[in-house]
């Protein structure tokens, strides 16, 4: 017998997806690593219930075993965003950095013994490790030195015996992906200089490694301001695979160290897909050599991921029908010649760690889910990728993109003739994107009767370099215009009530929230800015080294005069136009945020309170750029929902 649905207005439905489920049971999986000799699988997982601590666990089938002592936190701080916190040494031990002490350690998976390799120094950071294939006591790493007046980034070699690190590559502003070749005779790395970000212009180098020093340093590919290089990986034959966006999309190439030739590993049918991604954190791994003839390649098309098995000899690729649409960061690692481990999410299930055997391409075994709670599919809504016409701005002939999630809860239905309110979410970055993978944060609201939409506005990744570059000089304009165009499109299709729209976003997304409410004061019923930017000029002065020039390309050209720059700073900074905001605003902010400091939110609050506006600033103690602690994640959701209930319902 089919039970009768309860009739209740959108936004008032009850759901088993509670704040405790989202905040406490939702782990974050940041890195997967495997021992190439034994196939052992290790996972770095963030735990909100442990104040965001990053633990290291070993997976034995579906059994998850903690191997990192609780006093350690396997998390890095380089570039303030971290990444590359752990790696497997050639002796099977795990090298990791501890964010509590900034020390570097070696962890024995079998005994649990932890050995200090580099003594902790609050002003000296290491990450992105690679041990020599024959000498596990020799470890390459990225080093970030805060001990002087300027932050210095280099490639360092750590000696586990002497417990010292020495610089082996220096001179560039930034480095990533230091790697030994399979025979240990070469090393490779990526570097870039200000004002580039790694996804706007970077270079890959190879050098001979002889007597622990470099010879014959050779630039292989890349160009400042024009060509981005990501994910260099040594193949089994000693050639170097890397990804370049010289064609307009990140595509696969290979460099032969003997012939010094570069060839494209062309994958037919995927020339207009990205085979790499924007690397905001260190340690990215979404493409790996599986065996001497085959490579696992992750692609992104229309902001949706998929996995290919590429045969180098046959120059052909087969798509693995795994349904994984969300694959990010250090997400793939080789287990054997036919197996790999992957962190990924589907449209109908949260992110999990899977093992895949390419001889059984339709199968994947779930080893661990990031959600500790089983949720019935009757409360889950599948995301839809959409493109929509621009109705604002100067690019009306070209579409923009979004991920739309309609409300769903099989226990309820809305009164006849009503349409749902919308929460429109703006991703950070701003050079980033949202994929259609299931997230409990969105499902919390869709299961209560809200429609939810992530806008992949101009400047988003996942659509090629041209779309990515479209935000240059226009940040604070095109992102707001695309967001309002999206609302108007959804309203025209009667998918949402255009008069009941809330806007939310974090970091750069929070900036769009604030600026959007100034530019389009009647488009949004309320706004929720999480650690958003309110004053571009003070951000440029206060922010960290990694992003200290990023802002400039986004808002004005290199040729802009000082007077023109001051004008743009004023025009695009929401704090100077807060008087235009007509609707309630909530701001959520961590007091330890070094990327977007607390003073950004405080300034906005001060201006709005002076005019008697409906504004509320909630500061979370001990949180940085993003919330990691269970109690704070829970409160952030509760504060946001309270805002929507009083403004959208």
């Amino acid at each position: 017998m089919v039970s009768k649905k309860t009739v209740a207005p959108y936004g008032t439905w009850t759901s088993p997806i509670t704040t405790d489920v989202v905040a406490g049971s939702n782990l974050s999986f940041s890195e997967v690593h495997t021992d190439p000799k034994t196939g052992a699988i290790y996972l770095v997982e963030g735990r909100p219930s442990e104040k965001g601590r990053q633990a290291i666990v070993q997976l034995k089938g579906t059994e998850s075993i903690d191997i990192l002592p609780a006093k350690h936190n396997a998390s890095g701080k380089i570039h303030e965003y971290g990444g590359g916190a752990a790696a497997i040494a050639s002796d099977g031990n795990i090298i990791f950095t501890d964010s509590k002490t900034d020390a570097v350690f070696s962890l024995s998976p079998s005994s649990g013994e932890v050995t200090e390799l580099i003594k902790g120094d609050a002003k000296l950071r290491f990450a992105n490790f690679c041990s020599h294939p024959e000498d596990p006591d020799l470890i390459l790493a990225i080093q970030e030195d805060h001990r002087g007046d300027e932050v210095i980034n280099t490639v360092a070699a750590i000696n586990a015996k002497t417990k010292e690190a020495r610089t082996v590559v220096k001179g560039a502003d930034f480095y990533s992906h230091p790697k030994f070749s399979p025979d240990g005779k070469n090393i490779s790395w990526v570097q870039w200089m200000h004002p580039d970000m790694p996804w706007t212009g970077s270079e890959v180098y190879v050098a001979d490694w002889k007597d622990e020093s470099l010879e014959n340093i050779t630039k292989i590919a890349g160009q400042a301001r024009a060509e981005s290089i990501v994910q260099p990986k040594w193949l089994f034959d000693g050639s170097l695979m890397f990804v370049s966006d010289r064609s307009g999309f990140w595509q696969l190439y290979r460099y032969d160290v003997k012939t010094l030739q570069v060839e494209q590993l062309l994958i037919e049918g995927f020339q207009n897909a990205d085979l790499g991604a924007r690397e905001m954190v260190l340690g990215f791994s979404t493409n790996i050599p599986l065996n001497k003839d085959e490579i696992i390649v992750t692609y992104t098309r229309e902001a949706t991921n998929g996995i290919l098995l590429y045969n180098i000899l046959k120059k052909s690729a087969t798509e693995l029908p795994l349904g994984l649409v969300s694959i990010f960061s250090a997400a793939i690692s080789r287990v054997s010649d036919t197996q790999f481990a992957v962190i990924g999410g589907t449209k109908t299930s949260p992110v999990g760690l899977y093992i895949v055997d390419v001889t059984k391409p339709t199968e994947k075994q779930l080893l661990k889910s990031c959600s500790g709670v089983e949720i019935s599919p009757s409360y889950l809504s599948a995301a839809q990728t959409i493109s929509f016409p621009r109705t604002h701005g100067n690019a009306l002939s070209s579409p923009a993109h979004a991920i739309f999630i309609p409300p769903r809860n099989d226990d309820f239905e809305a009164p006849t003739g009503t349409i749902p309110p919308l929460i429109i979410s703006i991703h950070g970055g701003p050079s980033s994107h949202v994929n259609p993978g299931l997230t409990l944060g969105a499902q919390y609201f869709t299961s209560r009767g809200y429609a939810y939409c992530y806008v992949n506005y101009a400047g988003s990744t996942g659509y090629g370099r041209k779309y990515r570059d479209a935000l240059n000089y226009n940040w604070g304009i095109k992102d707001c215009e695309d967001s309002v165009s999206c609302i108007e499109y959804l309203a025209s299709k009667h998918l949402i009530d255009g008069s009941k729209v809330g806007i939310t976003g974090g970091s750069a997304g929070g900036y769009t929230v604030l600026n959007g409410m100034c530019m389009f004061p009647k488009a949004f019923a309320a706004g929720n800015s999480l650690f958003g930017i309110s004053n571009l000029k003070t951000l440029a002065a206060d922010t960290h080294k990694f992003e200290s020039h990023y802002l400039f390309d986004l808002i004005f050209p290199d040729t802009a005069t000082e007077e023109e720059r001051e004008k743009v700073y004023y025009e695009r900074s929401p704090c100077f136009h807060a008087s235009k905001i007509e609707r309630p605003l909530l701001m959520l902010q961590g007091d330890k945020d070094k990327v977007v400091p607390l003073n950004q939110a405080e300034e906005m609050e001060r201006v709005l309170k002076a005019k008697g506006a409906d504004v509320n600033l909630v500061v979370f103690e001990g949180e940085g750029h993003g919330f990691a602690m269970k109690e704070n994640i829970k409160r952030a959701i509760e504060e946001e929902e309270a805002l929507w209930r009083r403004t959208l319902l």
Side-chain angles (χ1 to χ4, degrees):
M1 181 177 177
V2 178
S3 59
K4 187 177 180 180
K5 292 186 177 183
T6 300
V7 177
Y10 287 112
T12 66
W13 304 346
T14 56
S15 166
I17 305 174
T18 64
T19 53
D20 281 318
V21 169
V22 178
S25 302
N26 204 23
L27 305 171
S28 62
F29 295 168
S30 57
E31 303 179 28
V32 61
H33 299 284
T34 56
D35 186 328
K37 295 177 181 177
T38 66
I41 301 172
Y42 305 99
L43 179 66
V44 180
E45 62 179 39
R47 297 173 174 174
S49 61
E50 297 181 31
K51 299 187 180 299
R53 171 180 172 259
Q54 298 282 326
I56 300 178
V57 300
Q58 182 175 1
L59 278 300
K60 293 186 176 180
T62 57
E63 183 185 8
S64 177
I65 304 167
D66 273 43
I67 60 171
L68 183 68
K71 68 178 182 179
H72 293 295
N73 185 355
S75 177
K77 295 179 183 175
I78 290 180
H79 300 166
E80 304 303 334
Y81 291 103
I88 307 298
S90 51
D91 61 1
N93 287 337
I94 301 172
I95 310 156
F96 72 94
T97 184
D98 182 351
S99 65
K100 293 181 179 179
T101 62
D102 292 300
V104 179
F105 297 94
S106 174
L107 166 67
S108 169
S110 57
S111 68
E113 181 181 358
V114 175
T115 304
E116 186 179 77
L117 303 182
I118 295 290
K119 187 176 179 61
D121 183 331
K123 294 188 175 182
L124 195 61
R125 305 170 180 179
F126 295 88
N128 212 179
F129 307 104
C130 178
S131 83
H132 191 279
E134 297 176 357
D135 182 1
D137 291 325
L138 179 60
I139 303 158
L140 293 176
I142 301 301
Q143 176 181 291
E144 188 172 86
D145 190 342
H146 293 250
R147 293 175 294 186
D149 294 334
E150 295 182 2
V151 177
I152 304 297
N153 294 69
T154 57
V155 178
I158 296 172
N159 187 314
K161 291 180 178 177
T162 64
K163 303 187 185 306
E164 295 176 332
R166 63 181 181 84
T167 298
V168 293
V169 185
K170 64 180 181 178
D173 288 322
F174 301 98
Y175 296 91
S176 66
H177 294 292
K179 296 187 185 305
F180 283 109
S181 61
D183 60 8
K185 295 180 179 179
N186 300 96
I187 74 165
S188 61
W189 68 90
V190 171
Q191 66 181 52
W192 64 99
M193 301 285 289
H194 283 315
D196 271 312
M197 299 301 285
W199 55 87
T200 65
S202 50
E203 303 168 331
V204 60
Y205 283 80
V206 168
D208 295 336
W209 180 261
K210 190 173 182 180
D211 298 327
E212 298 194 11
S213 62
L214 304 187
E215 296 181 358
N216 300 321
I217 298 174
T218 305
K219 174 185 163 182
I220 305 306
Q223 183 179 347
R225 318 297 286 150
E227 181 185 1
S228 165
I229 305 296
V230 297
Q231 283 201 68
K233 299 280 179 68
W234 290 96
L235 301 181
F236 284 85
D237 65 359
S239 62
L240 183 72
M241 170 181 74
F242 63 92
V243 179
S244 163
D245 69 351
R246 63 181 65 169
S247 71
F249 289 85
W250 274 306
Q251 293 284 294
L252 210 56
Y253 296 83
R254 181 173 64 166
Y255 171 72
D256 190 317
V257 295
K258 296 177 181 177
T259 66
L260 311 183
Q261 297 299 306
V262 173
E263 66 167 327
Q264 182 176 0
L265 301 179
L266 185 65
I267 302 181
E268 290 292 341
F270 290 87
Q271 296 95 321
N272 291 335
D274 280 322
L275 309 183
R278 156 193 177 267
E279 298 187 358
M280 180 58 86
V281 298
L282 294 174
F284 253 72
S285 178
T286 59
N287 303 331
I288 59 160
L290 186 65
N291 53 57
K292 64 182 182 63
D293 297 330
E294 294 175 312
I295 304 169
I296 298 297
V297 180
T298 300
Y299 72 83
T300 309
R301 177 182 277 158
E302 299 296 313
T304 303
N305 293 130
I307 297 180
L308 304 170
L309 178 64
Y310 179 76
N311 189 294
I312 302 170
L313 299 178
K314 297 178 181 177
K315 299 186 183 299
S316 63
T318 302
E319 183 158 9
L320 301 179
L322 303 172
L324 297 175
V325 298
S326 172
I327 302 167
F328 182 76
S329 194
I332 299 183
S333 190
R334 175 184 176 274
V335 176
S336 70
D337 281 353
T338 62
Q339 293 179 314
F340 63 94
V342 54
I343 299 170
T346 74
K347 288 186 177 183
T348 55
S349 60
V351 168
L353 175 65
Y354 298 87
I355 187 167
V356 177
D357 190 324
V358 297
T359 65
K360 304 171 184 176
T362 61
E363 300 176 17
K364 61 182 185 290
Q365 180 189 359
L366 177 64
L367 302 182
K368 187 170 188 177
S369 171
C370 75
S371 176
V373 177
E374 195 72 31
I375 300 169
S376 168
S378 63
Y379 301 104
L380 302 178
S381 180
Q384 306 165 11
T385 55
I386 63 171
S387 297
F388 56 90
R390 290 184 165 116
T391 48
H392 296 271
N394 59 7
L396 302 183
S397 61
S398 59
H401 310 282
I403 307 295
F404 178 68
I405 314 171
R408 181 186 177 188
N409 183 326
D410 288 356
D411 294 340
F412 290 89
E413 62 183 357
T416 303
T418 61
I419 46 180
L422 172 68
I423 301 169
I424 194 161
S425 180
I426 314 299
H427 65 68
S431 304
S432 182
H433 71 265
V434 178
N435 58 58
L438 185 142
T439 60
L440 292 180
Q443 299 295 321
Y444 178 88
F445 288 106
T446 57
S447 64
R448 283 166 171 74
Y450 296 89
Y452 207 92
C453 187
Y454 295 101
V455 183
N456 285 330
Y457 49 84
S460 298
T461 54
Y463 304 90
R465 180 152 189 154
K466 183 178 179 181
Y467 193 81
R468 205 163 75 234
D469 288 346
L471 196 63
N472 287 353
Y473 320 147
N474 287 287
W475 188 32
I477 298 176
K478 288 190 174 182
D479 47 322
C480 299
E481 293 170 342
D482 283 355
S483 299
V484 176
S485 293
C486 183
I487 293 168
E488 292 174 352
Y489 170 77
L490 294 172
S492 72
K493 298 295 183 182
H494 305 291
L495 295 171
I496 59 107
D497 184 340
S499 68
K500 298 179 179 179
V501 178
I503 182 171
T504 185
S507 190
Y511 170 63
T512 303
V513 170
L514 300 175
N515 228 27
M517 293 181 74
C518 294
M519 287 180 64
F520 299 96
K522 298 187 185 304
F524 311 104
N528 176 36
S529 170
L530 295 93
F531 34 92
I533 301 153
S534 69
N535 188 323
L536 293 176
K537 187 172 182 179
T538 57
L539 178 74
D542 293 345
T543 197
H544 55 122
K545 177 187 176 183
F546 180 58
E547 292 185 312
S548 59
H549 289 68
Y550 181 28
L551 171 69
F552 303 141
D553 277 350
L554 293 169
I555 59 174
F556 40 60
D558 295 338
T559 56
T561 64
E562 191 61 33
E563 182 180 357
E564 290 169 334
R565 291 179 179 227
E566 288 295 326
K567 183 171 183 278
V568 171
Y569 279 139
Y570 176 80
E571 290 176 345
R572 307 269 185 92
S573 294
C575 66
F576 299 124
H577 308 283
S579 61
K580 296 179 180 179
I581 294 178
E582 300 179 4
R583 307 291 170 78
L585 174 66
L586 171 66
M587 293 186 291
L588 307 176
Q589 177 76 40
D591 68 340
K592 304 298 183 185
D593 195 336
K594 294 183 179 180
V595 178
V596 179
L598 174 60
N599 59 25
Q600 291 279 322
E602 290 175 332
E603 182 173 8
M604 196 71 186
E605 180 196 35
R606 185 166 55 250
V607 173
L608 284 168
K609 278 191 171 180
K611 62 165 270 189
D614 185 339
V615 61
N616 181 27
L617 170 61
V618 180
V619 179
F620 296 95
E621 293 185 8
E623 294 283 14
H625 197 62
F627 307 145
M629 304 179 199
K630 176 182 177 180
E631 61 272 22
N632 293 337
I633 297 171
K634 183 176 178 178
R635 186 183 175 192
I637 298 169
E638 292 169 347
E639 293 280 359
E640 180 181 356
E641 185 180 13
L643 176 69
W644 304 144
R645 289 185 71 88
R646 73 181 177 94
T647 58
L648 302 186
L649 306 186

